[in-house]
């Protein structure tokens, strides 16, 4: 199936590793031009090597700096020629006992996981409307924003907020042909889960909670990211797609 992503301009944040890395490559494989945003210039340069040279364009950005985040839409237009899609993937997940947690942790988590989505989405929305061809925003949230997780209060709260922001923007921008959706991953085998995957006992305990009896590989997020980025998904908006091997379904 042709997803009609050839030549589309896409921003992917948090692209220097994990799900963002996989999403950037999946989109490039479909012919999109990707502005790959992250904190590690070295990792982004590795991402853009080989067959991805010329289709993936590295861009260093601190997602805590609102001015830098807001500038990404203009940078994308300058470097890619146009902006059609934003994948808001960047995020942090600090673990802490809430009774002992410094509220500065909550502030930073909300800044990166919610405010950066709002700032970039606003800048992108203005660009989409100015271009007159609509656009797509895909927010990578988490099943933690649906269920809540012990020791991840700040993260769970931020992802719940991102889910509601997704729905609100979808309702507000549908008339502009801007679709806003979210993907809520469950347990994916990424660098962020090294503590789990690197310990056989912990991994076995984690996998027992998943009906599919395994963790997902990062590349498994790519097909859905590409579909929601595609013109074929023009009537899909305000949806939250869970990819978790059935974990939330059994609750």
């Amino acid at each position: 199936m042709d997803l009609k992503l050839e030549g589309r301009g896409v921003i992917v944040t948090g692209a220097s590793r994990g799900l963002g890395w996989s999403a950037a490559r999946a989109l490039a494989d479909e012919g999109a031009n990707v502005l790959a945003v992250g904190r590690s210039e070295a990792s982004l340069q590795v991402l853009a090597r080989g067959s991805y040279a010329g289709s993936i364009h590295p861009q260093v950005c601190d997602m805590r700096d609102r001015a830098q985040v807001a500038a990404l839409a203009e940078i994308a237009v300058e470097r890619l020629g146009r902006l059609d899609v934003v994948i808001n993937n960047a995020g942090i997940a600090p673990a802490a006992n809430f009774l002992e947690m410094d509220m500065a942790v909550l502030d930073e988590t909300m800044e990166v996981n919610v405010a950066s989505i709002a700032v970039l989405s606003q800048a992108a929305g203005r660009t989409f409307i100015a271009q007159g061809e609509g656009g797509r925003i895909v927010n990578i949230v988490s099943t933690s924003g649906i269920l809540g997780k012990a020791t991840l209060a700040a993260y769970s709260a931020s992802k719940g907020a991102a889910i509601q922001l997704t729905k609100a923007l979808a309702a507000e921008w549908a008339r502009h042909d801007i679709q806003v959706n979210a993907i809520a991953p469950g347990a994916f085998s990424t660098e962020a889960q090294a503590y789990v995957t690197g310990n056989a006992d912990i991994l076995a305990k984690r996998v027992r909670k998943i009906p599919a009896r395994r963790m997902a590989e990062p590349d498994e997020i790519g097909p859905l990211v590409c579909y929601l980025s595609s013109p074929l998904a023009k009537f899909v908006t305000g949806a939250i797609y869970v990819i978790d091997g059935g974990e939330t379904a059994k609750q």
Side-chain angles (χ1 to χ4, degrees):
M1 179 183 293
D2 179 7
L3 293 177
K4 303 185 185 303
L5 288 171
E6 187 75 32
R8 298 275 172 171
V10 184
I11 294 173
V12 179
T13 68
S16 58
R17 63 176 189 165
L19 299 184
W21 176 290
S22 295
R25 291 203 165 189
L27 288 159
D29 285 340
E30 291 293 329
N33 294 313
V34 180
L35 188 72
V37 178
R39 290 183 294 178
S40 172
E41 183 173 7
S43 295
L44 293 173
Q45 292 294 341
V46 172
L47 172 64
R49 287 178 185 169
S51 61
Y52 295 101
S55 59
I56 294 182
H57 308 263
Q59 177 65 42
V60 175
C61 179
D62 183 347
M63 301 306 290
R64 298 168 298 183
D65 186 322
R66 295 189 185 188
Q68 288 187 35
V69 174
L72 290 173
E74 183 176 348
I75 291 170
V77 172
E78 290 174 355
R79 297 185 63 186
L80 309 179
R82 59 183 294 112
L83 177 60
D84 301 284
V85 182
V86 172
I87 311 298
N88 283 307
N89 170 73
I92 58 174
N97 184 318
F98 191 71
L99 292 175
E100 302 166 358
M101 189 183 79
D102 189 321
M103 287 301 153
V105 173
L106 177 64
D107 291 340
E108 183 179 27
T109 304
M110 297 300 285
E111 186 66 39
V112 175
N113 294 3
V114 185
S116 73
I117 292 177
V119 170
L120 181 50
S121 294
Q122 184 185 67
R126 290 169 174 168
T127 300
F128 295 153
I129 292 170
Q131 289 177 163
E133 299 179 28
R136 278 143 205 87
I137 295 173
V138 181
N139 298 322
I140 308 301
V141 292
S142 171
T143 53
S144 296
I146 299 171
L147 298 177
K149 297 283 180 67
T151 74
L152 287 174
Y155 180 70
S156 297
S158 71
K159 292 303 184 177
I163 287 171
Q164 295 308 314
L165 178 61
T166 298
K167 294 179 179 180
L169 294 183
E172 185 170 335
W173 288 353
R175 66 183 181 276
H176 298 296
D177 194 22
I178 298 172
Q179 291 81 50
V180 187
N181 294 290
I183 299 174
F188 272 70
S189 184
T190 64
E191 297 94 326
Q193 294 295 319
Y195 173 75
V196 175
T197 58
N199 184 303
D201 291 338
I202 295 174
L203 177 59
K205 183 178 179 180
R206 181 69 184 91
V207 166
R208 282 198 296 271
K209 297 179 181 180
I210 305 169
R213 292 298 186 265
R214 69 176 180 89
M215 295 178 72
E217 293 302 318
D219 289 348
E220 292 185 80
I221 202 168
L224 184 53
V225 168
C226 290
Y227 170 68
L228 293 176
S229 300
S230 166
L232 301 184
K234 290 188 71 169
F235 204 60
V236 179
T237 196
I240 315 300
Y241 288 85
V242 175
I243 304 181
D244 71 348
E247 189 169 6
T248 58
K250 68 177 186 177
Q251 300 299 318

